Amino acid sequence: MNSPKSITCASSPSCCWLIPLPLLEAALLVAWSSGFVGARFSIDYAPPLLVVFWRCVLVTLLLFPFVARQLRQTSWVALLKNAGIGLLAMAGYLAGITQGIALGVPAGLAALFADLLPLGLALLAAGVLGQRLTSRIWAGLLVGVAGVALGTHGALAWGSAPLWVYGLPLLGMLSLAAATLWQKQLPASQSMDLLPNLWLQCCVSGLAFALIEGMQGGLAPIANTGFVLSVLWTAGLSTMGGYGLYWLCLRRASATRVASILYLSPPITMLWAWAMFDEPLSWQMALGMALSAVGIWLVVREETRDARRKQPHGTAAGSETAG
């Protein structure tokens, strides 16, 4: 999925380009999958959206001293656009997934809907932006989905929730897909540095979660160790790590590549669950992971070839950016 180079190195930390992209993507997988583990852990101690609200509050408070000056120097237009991206990426995505589970969608099925992000991105890009993908990239995306379905088949079940509730995780996935494409289309003059952008997204999403959770119950933190650990875990690993690395990788590669990497999130999550909750592993999970890896390889190989074909003669052929 090729798009203008709207997010430049100037808007990201200089060390970003010193770290090999595969290492950033591996870290993204670990951090992104930690969100599902955090949700699995926290559900015994507090309502899911209450934990999400306080994780946004914590990140907002911790980052503010480091980003206040940059925020004051940012135009209102850039602030509003990046706030809109944050609402879609965090509030829309997390609310869709967590509320779907809270209303009866089985967690495994909700996670599978969330893992359709690469296909959601491709469909939105084709239908809204008019971007075209090659048949090989479509094949890689479909192979990746097949791998996710195979690996998570044992955890899938069709619950008893009303039919409309199953649309919430899908809407959450599409919300993150829309935010991703919007971020990639922003001109460089309206892009923000990583930390101010993350602060702004957590701030506006925290307000949205306060409204949603406030209508259902109180916003006061729960005085138990499990709640505190849940907030610390999801604020550090899932928000600072997961979302931070997601946006960082988008500065280096195309949306299709970054999203397709997340096909490996379910098996990584299952490894987390095996290590922390003694949940069983199976050969079916390993086969699904291998099939997803093949799908990712097809996408990355085709995007690399496409980038090389479009490079002017005489330039380096090893550029990592496809967007």
Side-chain angles (χ1 to χ4, degrees):
M1 184 183 304
N2 297 310
S3 58
K5 291 185 179 180
S6 57
I7 302 178
T8 63
C9 187
S11 63
S12 62
S14 57
C15 63
C16 160
W17 294 91
L18 301 178
I19 304 174
L21 181 58
L23 287 182
L24 287 177
E25 292 170 336
L28 169 63
L29 277 172
V30 174
W32 195 265
S33 61
S34 73
F36 295 99
V37 177
R40 162 70 171 78
F41 175 80
S42 66
I43 200 170
D44 294 330
Y45 302 100
L49 285 185
L50 185 64
V51 174
V52 173
F53 165 71
W54 279 103
R55 96 190 213 190
C56 287
V57 170
L58 180 59
V59 173
T60 301
L61 293 176
L62 289 176
L63 289 184
F64 184 73
F66 303 99
V67 303
R69 182 178 179 182
Q70 296 179 60
L71 289 170
R72 288 195 299 267
Q73 297 171 347
T74 304
S75 69
W76 280 103
V77 173
L79 288 174
L80 288 173
K81 289 187 176 181
N82 283 279
I85 291 171
L87 282 174
L88 289 172
M90 285 194 182
Y93 175 72
L94 294 174
I97 301 298
T98 56
Q99 285 299 93
I101 294 175
L103 292 175
V105 178
L109 193 59
L112 178 60
F113 289 158
D115 293 324
L116 296 178
L117 176 63
L119 282 180
L121 272 170
L123 292 173
L124 281 180
V128 177
L129 302 179
Q131 296 177 2
R132 299 180 63 183
L133 299 179
T134 67
S135 58
R136 289 190 180 94
I137 289 181
W138 279 110
L141 293 175
L142 293 174
V143 169
V145 169
V148 171
L150 176 62
T152 59
H153 177 72
L156 296 182
W158 192 263
S160 57
L163 188 60
W164 68 269
V165 174
Y166 292 89
L168 293 178
L170 282 175
L171 288 175
M173 177 273 293
L174 290 174
S175 183
L176 178 57
T180 302
L181 293 177
W182 190 359
Q183 180 75 63
K184 291 294 284 185
Q185 296 296 317
L186 273 185
S189 61
Q190 295 175 0
S191 295
M192 297 175 63
D193 286 348
L194 183 62
L195 288 184
N197 193 25
L198 194 59
W199 180 91
L200 181 61
Q201 293 182 2
C202 286
C203 182
V204 296
S205 296
L207 294 174
F209 289 128
L211 179 62
I212 297 172
E213 183 62 22
M215 295 172 62
Q216 301 177 2
L219 294 176
I222 299 175
N224 63 54
T225 304
F227 177 79
V228 173
L229 290 177
S230 299
V231 172
L232 292 175
W233 175 283
T234 54
L237 280 175
S238 310
T239 304
M240 299 280 288
Y243 274 97
L245 286 165
Y246 183 76
W247 299 126
L248 193 59
C249 287
L250 280 176
R251 300 171 191 259
R252 296 277 299 272
S254 74
T256 306
R257 169 168 174 156
V258 176
S260 66
I261 292 295
L262 295 181
Y263 277 146
L264 291 179
S265 178
I268 300 297
T269 301
M270 291 174 184
L271 288 175
W272 277 103
W274 168 75
M276 295 180 62
F277 309 117
D278 200 28
E279 294 186 3
L281 298 176
S282 69
W283 284 107
Q284 185 174 336
M285 296 176 187
L287 290 174
M289 184 174 184
L291 190 58
S292 292
V294 171
I296 294 170
W297 174 74
L298 289 172
V299 170
V300 172
R301 185 185 67 167
E302 181 59 21
E303 289 210 336
T304 301
R305 287 178 176 177
D306 187 57
R308 288 174 177 172
R309 285 195 296 266
K310 293 183 177 181
Q311 281 181 342
H313 292 294
T315 60
S319 172
E320 290 172 320
T321 56

